[in-house]
Amino acid sequence: MSKLTFARAINAGLRKSLENDPKVVLMGEDIGALGGVFRVTDGLQKDFGKHRVVDTPLAESAIIGTAVGLAYRGYRPVCEIQFDGFIYPAFDQIVSQVAKMHYRTQGRVKMPITIRVPFGGGIGSPEHHSESPEAYFTHTSGLRVISVSNPQDAYTMIQQAIASDDPVLYFEPKRRYHDKGEVDETADLFTALSMEKARVVSPGSDVTLVAYGPLVKTASDAAMAASDEGISVEVIDLRSLAPIDFPAVEASVRKTGRLVITHEAAQSGGLGAEIAASITERCFNYLESAPVRITGFDIPYPYSKLEMHHLPDLDRILDGVDRALGRGNSLSGLEG
Amino acid sequence: MLTDKAGQDAYKAPSPGISAENPRRTGGNLVQLISPEGERISHPEFDLWVSDVTDEQLCSLYEDMTVIRRIDAEATALQRQGELALWPPLLGQEASQIGSGRALRDDDFVFPSYRDNGVAYCRGVEPMDLVRAWRGNASSGWDPYRHNIATQQIIIGSQSLHATGYAMGIQHDGSDSVAVAFFGDGATSEGDVSEAMVFAASFQVPVVFICQNNHWAISEPVRIQSHIQIADRASGFGIPSMRVDGNDVLAVLAVTRIALDRARKGGGPTFIEAVTYRMGPHTTADDPTRYRDANELEDWAAKDPIARLKALLRTKGLLTEEVEAKTQAKADEVARNLRAGVINMPDPAPLDLFNHVYSTPNSWIERQKDHYSRYLESFSGSTQEGAL
């Protein structure tokens, strides 16, 4: 076991994938000598060469589009999109090509492409640097979408993503890059928890609280605060956003009877809506109250002096827990 | 039929025009080796690249062009008869597709657009597989790895990036094969084509961009797409280019061989503008009489690529009754088989819907497939128990 930051853990996972499979190629803007703007690829070009760790021109559609060609040729490209808000120029290549190639070719052409996306807010960045675009991609069949919440998962799940024969969007919570955690670098990739499985972070019996990526830590903190008030919150880290491990969420909700979902992304059409609807369909009779969503607002990501109001924090999540429990909360007395 | 060997022999010739040694030629005059009247035009630079083409091979090019035109006509007719949902005719572009397609080596890899049926034919794709997707029976008709040609791309210009990425892989592998992207003049307005040229030039990868300038992007004329000759755009990216008469099969063969040779020798990307004309509609869904002048079509009909080669063959005394009969018999047979194949093509099974979305199982789709199969099963026996 070693103590690594989130960013170093991804770096170690990338290194291991580069070592284990000569077909793995990293591509992106500034990922070589600079090591990426967040230093996630630090030292990899030096050790693996410019052909394995490719500094590309500044063109997101081309980064993904050429990865499609490389995948055609049998490579396993790992593309870095520098910031969440820069993924949109590549959107067409991701949803029209990467996602559909396997279906289009009746399974003859595989697209084992991993797309790393530093995402989410909380670091005081300007516009286009703090977005949570995951729902665009969970809505597109053919893509697998995952988000990591801790260094150990960051380390194993990047390797699982690269080893997957399907395309994977790997969302990295950039405000957690410097968080440290224990990482077992000897962990066997295939006995480690699959990237498709959700994980119970802390067990509880009164409310199920679902989170992913950057908000898993916030949700855990909220659960600890709730326990001080005698409320037992079960926190679930989704890990996989497409497909969502609904059986895991369902099992928890059957036990607690209450569901709170939190994410940074805007509420309307977001993953919270999908989870609330799917869980309601699957276990309506077990629910004691309507599912509650604690999310970012339906606004463009705000300027940094206001982002703390936009991002769900511990108190807003607790307010949501109160709502699910029918306790006094900020919306008490409001009809509908 | 032209073979890879023929192309290889030609490489021994001195390398005029663009070559690994002389990569700087850009745009410029239209390369032409056969006049619209069918006269062989001598050209000191480009003749060398087709000097190996025998009389027999000339006849074979004529057969290819005739057959592909016949496939095109048959598919258009099948669409009109309701057997295909849509068809994008290539009428008029036979020389640009056969000339370039026959220049390729088996291990080269092609990324075509939806209109490049002639190129796919050269790669050995069965005619019936050309129409599978247009009938709605599959998303694509063939195995890309069997023919070394990707499935046809519908998003405009997207495949130029795929070809460039594939060429990055070729370079990484140290192979001397080449990736070739085919697209139209309209695609050069798309960002992806520009980004592909940026990447191709940056990494100097073995990719050839073949732009068939057929003068129309649906109803948008090329003049509103580009204020300069399209071939000249490439020089801004540091990519040499050639502008060739796309209705001249020999000239297209020559310039494609030059570009391929350059790529094989590590010379990097080349851009070819094949100046041709789409004589039919964009697809069977549009009506070109609404947007273009009949005189324009008449002018281009006079430059017809097949008539031109036919005139040359006649002048050379090669267009014997035997050659013509053999060519027409082949076209008839291909068309007959295509029609029978389409009409007898079985419909896919309903649950095929869910196949191949992922290469590994996905719990969401498994669930939906299970639910839908139960729904379908609920109809079994309904006629016996039918309430009415």
Side-chain angles (χ1 to χ4, degrees):
Chain A
M1 289 288 236
S2 46
K3 202 144 185 143
L4 295 180
T5 63
F6 214 107
R8 291 305 300 177
I10 302 171
N11 181 282
L14 290 170
R15 177 176 290 277
K16 198 137 196 178
S17 295
L18 283 161
E19 279 167 0
N20 289 345
D21 187 347
K23 292 295 184 187
V24 172
V25 176
L26 272 49
M27 314 165 61
E29 298 158 13
D30 308 306
I31 68 167
L34 181 66
V37 290
F38 294 105
R39 310 293 183 268
V40 171
T41 54
D42 189 28
L44 296 177
Q45 189 181 66
K46 187 167 117 323
D47 294 343
F48 293 94
K50 289 185 174 177
H51 288 287
R52 301 286 308 279
V53 181
V54 183
D55 262 322
T56 66
L58 201 156
E60 285 78 10
S61 187
I63 292 170
I64 306 300
T66 55
V68 170
L70 279 160
Y72 245 106
R73 180 84 189 170
Y75 284 86
R76 308 184 87 86
V78 184
C79 304
E80 176 176 307
I81 296 293
Q82 199 159 68
F83 281 94
D84 36 58
F86 305 167
I87 201 168
Y88 307 116
F91 192 75
D92 172 58
Q93 286 290 340
I94 297 172
V95 303
S96 300
Q97 307 299 334
V98 174
K100 299 193 173 94
M101 200 62 82
H102 192 261
Y103 192 69
R104 180 180 299 150
T105 61
Q106 279 105 62
R108 285 146 176 161
V109 180
K110 296 200 187 325
M111 287 283 123
I113 297 173
T114 301
I115 303 173
R116 292 182 38 239
V117 192
F119 87 123
I123 62 167
S125 283
E127 214 183 354
H128 313 300
H129 290 70
S130 302
E131 305 194 1
S132 299
E134 60 272 18
Y136 295 115
F137 303 102
T138 61
H139 195 59
T140 299
S141 295
L143 302 174
R144 291 182 183 275
V145 183
I146 60 178
S147 181
V148 287
S149 70
N150 63 81
Q152 180 70 58
D153 275 355
Y155 173 74
T156 48
M157 286 166 73
I158 188 66
Q159 295 178 69
Q160 290 171 337
I162 295 168
S164 168
D165 275 343
D166 291 317
V168 180
L169 277 108
Y170 179 92
F171 280 97
E172 302 169 7
K174 66 170 90 77
R175 69 163 131 150
R176 305 293 181 207
Y177 272 143
H178 302 297
D179 290 3
K180 283 192 172 173
E182 293 288 344
V183 177
D184 178 5
E185 292 186 60
T186 62
D188 180 55
L189 194 58
F190 299 101
T191 54
L193 183 63
S194 160
M195 66 179 186
E196 289 178 22
K197 295 291 180 195
R199 182 173 63 96
V200 176
V201 180
S202 55
S205 54
D206 295 332
V207 181
T208 298
L209 173 57
V210 172
Y212 57 88
L215 288 186
V216 172
K217 180 174 187 305
T218 316
S220 295
D221 292 346
M224 277 171 67
S227 75
D228 292 344
E229 295 181 40
I231 303 166
S232 172
V233 177
E234 178 149 301
V235 177
I236 294 184
D237 177 2
L238 279 184
R239 300 168 90 245
S240 176
L241 311 185
I244 286 170
D245 182 3
F246 281 120
V249 183
E250 202 179 324
S252 177
V253 170
R254 281 172 193 252
K255 185 173 68 175
T256 65
R258 299 175 199 277
L259 175 63
V260 176
I261 309 136
T262 187
H263 55 62
E264 289 188 11
Q267 185 166 94
S268 299
L271 280 184
E274 176 57 42
I275 296 165
S278 287
I279 290 301
T280 303
E281 279 178 358
R282 289 168 187 244
C283 46
F284 179 71
N285 291 331
Y286 292 83
L287 283 168
E288 302 285 344
S289 62
V292 172
R293 289 174 287 168
I294 304 297
T295 68
F297 300 113
D298 291 344
I299 57 170
Y301 194 85
Y303 27 98
S304 62
K305 295 286 189 205
L306 287 182
E307 67 178 342
M308 75 289 255
H309 292 288
H310 176 70
L311 296 171
D313 63 5
L314 184 147
D315 288 323
R316 272 178 67 198
I317 292 173
L318 287 178
D319 190 63
V321 168
D322 285 340
R323 227 181 290 164
L325 285 164
R327 289 162 44 119
N329 64 79
S330 65
L331 300 183
S332 293
L334 199 69
E335 295 278 327
Chain B
M1 184 182 287
L2 283 169
T3 63
D4 308 328
K5 178 105 183 5
Q8 288 286 12
D9 290 343
Y11 305 144
K12 290 174 191 154
S15 306
I18 290 178
S19 65
E21 296 77 26
N22 175 23
R24 284 290 133 221
R25 184 191 178 97
T26 60
N29 297 330
L30 204 62
V31 178
Q32 199 175 60
L33 298 179
I34 308 173
S35 76
E37 293 72 36
E39 291 157 358
R40 181 72 170 79
I41 300 167
S42 181
H43 194 297
E45 290 183 14
F46 295 94
D47 279 351
L48 292 163
W49 290 86
V50 289
S51 60
D52 63 303
V53 177
T54 62
D55 288 349
E56 195 186 336
Q57 287 168 341
L58 265 188
C59 291
S60 162
L61 290 170
Y62 171 66
E63 180 191 286
D64 286 342
M65 289 163 67
T66 305
V67 169
I68 192 64
R69 178 169 289 190
R70 187 61 179 273
I71 290 172
D72 200 57
E74 195 66 32
T76 303
L78 284 162
Q79 193 282 330
R80 297 300 185 216
Q81 292 157 6
E83 297 292 343
L84 301 179
L86 192 73
W87 177 251
L90 60 72
L91 183 67
Q93 298 180 219
E94 294 85 356
S96 62
Q97 295 194 15
I98 300 299
S100 54
R102 288 294 179 215
L104 302 169
R105 216 165 67 184
D106 282 351
D107 62 338
D108 296 333
F109 205 100
V110 174
F111 290 85
S113 83
Y114 48 82
R115 200 184 303 286
D116 300 313
N117 294 299
V119 182
Y121 175 77
C122 290
R123 301 306 276 170
V125 174
E126 288 295 322
M128 199 171 77
D129 288 339
L130 295 173
V131 299
R132 209 171 281 282
W134 304 107
R135 188 166 167 84
N137 279 46
S139 301
S140 63
W142 61 85
D143 178 352
Y145 295 121
R146 192 169 158 220
H147 303 287
N148 277 356
I149 177 169
T151 58
Q152 292 181 317
Q153 181 58 246
I154 288 181
I155 301 286
I156 303 297
S158 204
Q159 73 278 16
S160 58
L161 284 171
H162 307 165
T164 303
Y166 193 95
M168 288 164 70
I170 292 173
Q171 187 182 56
H172 198 281
D173 293 343
S175 155
D176 75 341
S177 50
V178 180
V180 184
F182 283 85
F183 47 84
D185 46 298
T188 62
S189 299
E190 290 278 1
D192 277 1
V193 171
S194 291
E195 292 192 19
M197 287 199 275
V198 170
F199 269 51
S202 291
F203 299 120
Q204 287 295 296
V205 293
V207 61
V208 176
F209 299 112
I210 300 183
C211 172
Q212 290 169 80
N213 174 2
N214 70 14
H215 285 78
W216 291 91
I218 307 189
S219 69
E220 307 291 351
V222 70
R223 65 180 174 274
I224 72 159
Q225 307 277 339
S226 183
H227 282 255
I228 59 168
Q229 286 182 352
I230 286 176
D232 287 340
R233 285 197 177 182
S235 67
F237 295 93
I239 297 176
S241 64
M242 288 178 281
R243 198 161 175 266
V244 63
D245 185 334
N247 287 10
D248 174 346
V249 71
L250 267 192
V252 175
L253 181 69
V255 299
T256 309
R257 281 176 166 183
I258 290 169
L260 291 169
D261 176 59
R262 189 169 170 271
R264 290 191 214 293
K265 289 176 176 163
T270 303
F271 187 101
I272 293 170
E273 178 190 359
V275 182
T276 181
Y277 194 74
R278 185 241 293 158
M279 293 169 78
H282 161 68
T283 68
T284 45
D286 76 325
D287 174 7
T289 63
R290 280 172 173 252
Y291 56 80
R292 69 182 183 190
D293 194 328
N295 293 329
E296 185 181 289
L297 182 60
E298 205 175 302
D299 289 349
W300 279 94
K303 301 174 189 168
D304 186 289
I306 298 183
R308 185 182 304 201
L309 183 58
K310 202 170 174 178
L312 177 68
L313 294 180
R314 193 173 288 126
T315 311
K316 288 170 74 87
L318 298 173
L319 195 71
T320 59
E321 272 180 32
E322 188 195 349
V323 164
E324 190 67 342
K326 181 172 157 275
T327 302
Q328 295 308 326
K330 171 87 182 275
D332 286 346
E333 187 199 348
V334 169
R336 202 165 44 240
N337 291 341
L338 173 63
R339 171 164 293 268
V342 167
I343 289 168
N344 296 319
M345 200 182 286
D347 284 345
L351 292 181
D352 284 356
L353 266 182
F354 299 98
N355 294 343
H356 307 303
V357 183
Y358 295 87
S359 59
T360 45
N362 171 291
S363 56
W364 287 359
I365 292 178
E366 296 293 317
R367 182 181 161 94
Q368 290 178 4
K369 183 176 182 178
D370 177 54
H371 288 189
Y372 191 60
S373 72
R374 286 165 190 265
Y375 171 76
L376 291 178
E377 279 166 20
S378 73
F379 290 98
S380 64
S382 63
T383 47
Q384 288 87 347
E385 299 164 15
L388 300 180

